[in-house]
Amino acid sequence: MDHPENNAVDGELTDRSFADAEARSARLEEELRTDPTAHRMLTGDRPTGPLHLGHYFGTLRNRVRLQDLGVQMFVLVADYQTITDRDSPRSLPEDVDALLADYLSVGIDPEHTTIFAHSQISGLNQLFLPFLSMVSVAELNRNPTVKDETAAAGQAAMSGLMFTYPVHQAADILFCKGTVVPVGKDQLPHLEVARVIARRFNRRYSPKRRYFPEPAALLSEAPVLLGTDGQKMSKSRNNAIALSATADETARLLSRAKTDAERHITYDPVSRPDVSNLVLLAALCLERQPEAVAEEVGAGGAAALKRLVTEAVNERFRDIRKQRAELINDRAQLRRILAAGNERAAEIADATLADVKRLMHTDYGS
Ligand code: TRP
């Protein structure tokens, strides 16, 4: 139920709306446990480079958990998002294949999860137009994530697609009536736009029967992994260990990872972020507590820690990497899997678009 005072919520993220989003997320987590099949999850990634261990522990593993709980799952390859801030790179087809291979190798199962590329779903893209009519320029202008992404891309001018991208993302979520969107905090302003659009559409065009459910963010307590340079692990910072890295590459990258001058290893993320990050990575791979891992290494120092974490990563990802190597060698199969997902997504998008046209009284001539 919506409180009347929340109906005025716009694209801006206030402390209040963050607290609300957190409360909704906690309720949702509970509902997913008791009634997983009642929910439909939608999330996605842009195909701009290989996924890394930060993605794995931050979100991929959670998607597989939700899939295995029986939640209806949609994972989208956000290929149109790549042209919000750059020319369509010639490498896009390979990048899409790589993303598919990453998804499948970690256990996202196309039998249970619809994997699709949003550029291929015309019904989804057509929703973008009526949705644009439901937000104001002033609201779009307040979205901090759009500004951050434009700045991060090093672009002086913001493209029209970047400016309106949160509305496109609303179409990504609402075309399949998604209710659960696992995202990080940075995506909350976008999600707020999707919620506003759902609410306004319902009020304007379907006042008696709510047509679109309001999607909610699932803010999992994902650990933030740092890259080998001590900054947040990120595709664009060149500090990431890719899921697809070989055992040797992993060893080389970790041997270069920052540590500190204190010999005895402890787990203290605030005052020893670099060492603690390696301890955390080992602990995640070994499914142990970081404190216990730090204690075990103790006087062994940074060299022993690096040996341990390298072995832990390589062990944990051995099967995933093997699987991924096989998948990437059969691109025809990857494309078949994507085509099947696209087909299913297109059916749903066409049905939603037909409903939307009917509700908007624009279903003449078809
Ligand atoms: N914008 C998201 C990102 O940059 C990716 C994305 C596109 C997405 N469409 C989505 C995430 C829909 C959740 C729901 O990471």
Side-chain angles (χ1 to χ4, degrees):
M1 255 310 273
D2 249 323
H3 298 295
E5 72 268 24
N6 282 357
N7 283 347
V9 168
D10 53 30
E12 195 168 33
L13 189 65
T14 59
D15 285 349
R16 170 77 205 289
S17 65
F18 181 56
D20 288 349
E22 272 191 316
R24 270 195 302 273
S25 171
R27 272 200 307 274
L28 196 55
E29 187 62 66
E30 185 58 40
E31 274 174 47
L32 288 170
R33 250 190 299 273
T34 53
D35 195 6
T37 54
H39 281 282
R40 188 166 265 190
M41 187 224 74
L42 182 292
T43 191
D45 304 275
R46 19 180 165 178
T48 48
L51 298 183
H52 52 64
L53 303 189
H55 293 115
Y56 182 79
F57 290 111
T59 153
L60 295 172
R61 161 176 96 139
N62 197 34
R63 293 181 198 172
V64 176
R65 176 183 72 95
L66 295 171
Q67 168 187 276
D68 295 346
L69 277 176
V71 177
Q72 306 170 51
M73 304 276 294
F74 287 75
V75 175
L76 89 109
V77 175
D79 50 352
Y80 267 162
Q81 193 179 338
T82 63
I83 52 167
T84 55
D85 61 6
R86 69 195 82 186
D87 295 341
S88 183
R90 234 175 292 224
S91 65
L92 201 48
E94 284 79 54
D95 290 341
V96 169
D97 289 342
L99 187 56
L100 293 170
D102 284 338
Y103 285 161
L104 299 171
S105 67
V106 299
I108 294 179
D109 176 357
E111 294 290 320
H112 298 285
T113 295
T114 302
I115 306 173
F116 67 102
H118 66 178
S119 71
Q120 306 303 304
I121 316 298
S122 51
L124 183 162
N125 289 297
Q126 244 179 286
L127 290 172
F128 187 34
L129 198 152
F131 285 1
L132 277 169
S133 74
M134 275 174 256
V135 289
S136 70
V137 168
E139 285 171 323
L140 291 176
N141 213 13
R142 281 200 286 270
N143 188 306
T145 300
V146 166
K147 288 177 191 154
D148 289 352
E149 287 183 357
T150 306
Q155 303 255 317
M158 188 188 291
S159 75
L161 184 62
M162 176 68 101
F163 186 64
T164 54
Y165 194 73
V167 180
H168 194 273
Q169 195 156 313
D172 287 342
I173 299 166
L174 296 179
F175 93 93
C176 68
K177 309 204 179 87
T179 54
V180 185
V181 187
V183 281
K185 272 191 224 155
D186 66 306
Q187 293 290 312
L188 282 177
H190 287 12
L191 203 70
E192 207 48 60
V193 174
R195 291 170 59 77
V196 163
I197 289 174
R199 210 179 292 151
R200 289 181 185 161
F201 182 92
N202 293 340
R203 213 184 304 137
R204 265 185 224 178
Y205 299 114
S206 189
K208 296 219 178 71
R209 206 187 122 259
R210 190 182 77 155
Y211 182 69
F212 286 117
E214 272 178 46
L218 187 67
L219 297 158
S220 48
E221 285 166 42
V224 175
L225 278 179
L226 306 179
T228 47
D229 60 354
Q231 310 256 2
K232 185 179 174 206
M233 194 181 281
S234 147
K235 285 178 195 168
S236 54
R237 286 203 187 97
N238 238 339
N239 65 357
I241 300 168
L243 273 176
S244 54
T246 64
D248 287 346
E249 278 161 8
T250 303
R252 192 155 32 77
L253 288 164
L254 286 170
S255 72
R256 289 206 307 253
K258 265 175 84 177
T259 52
D260 58 32
E262 209 176 310
R263 175 156 179 96
H264 198 93
I265 298 302
T266 52
Y267 183 64
D268 184 354
V270 175
S271 55
R272 303 186 70 188
D274 298 316
V275 161
S276 299
N277 182 56
L278 293 174
V279 171
L280 175 65
L281 178 54
L284 287 167
C285 290
L286 297 165
E287 292 178 25
R288 293 178 59 190
Q289 291 306 315
E291 292 80 4
V293 170
E295 199 173 307
E296 186 182 305
V297 179
L305 174 61
K306 285 186 174 180
R307 265 198 307 280
L308 177 79
V309 69
T310 301
E311 218 177 276
V313 170
N314 287 340
E315 188 59 39
R316 169 84 186 228
F317 290 96
R318 177 173 299 128
D319 291 346
I320 288 177
R321 287 165 167 174
K322 191 161 160 262
Q323 174 97 39
R324 194 189 179 286
E326 285 166 19
L327 286 160
I328 205 70
N329 270 330
D330 191 352
R331 293 190 182 238
Q333 171 69 359
L334 290 174
R335 295 288 171 91
R336 276 195 294 276
I337 290 170
L338 182 61
N342 287 342
E343 198 177 316
R344 182 166 146 66
E347 257 171 46
I348 295 170
D350 289 347
T352 302
L353 183 63
D355 288 343
V356 163
K357 284 187 172 167
R358 186 173 41 77
L359 291 167
M360 294 179 71
H361 310 289
T362 55
D363 54 347
Y364 31 77
S366 56

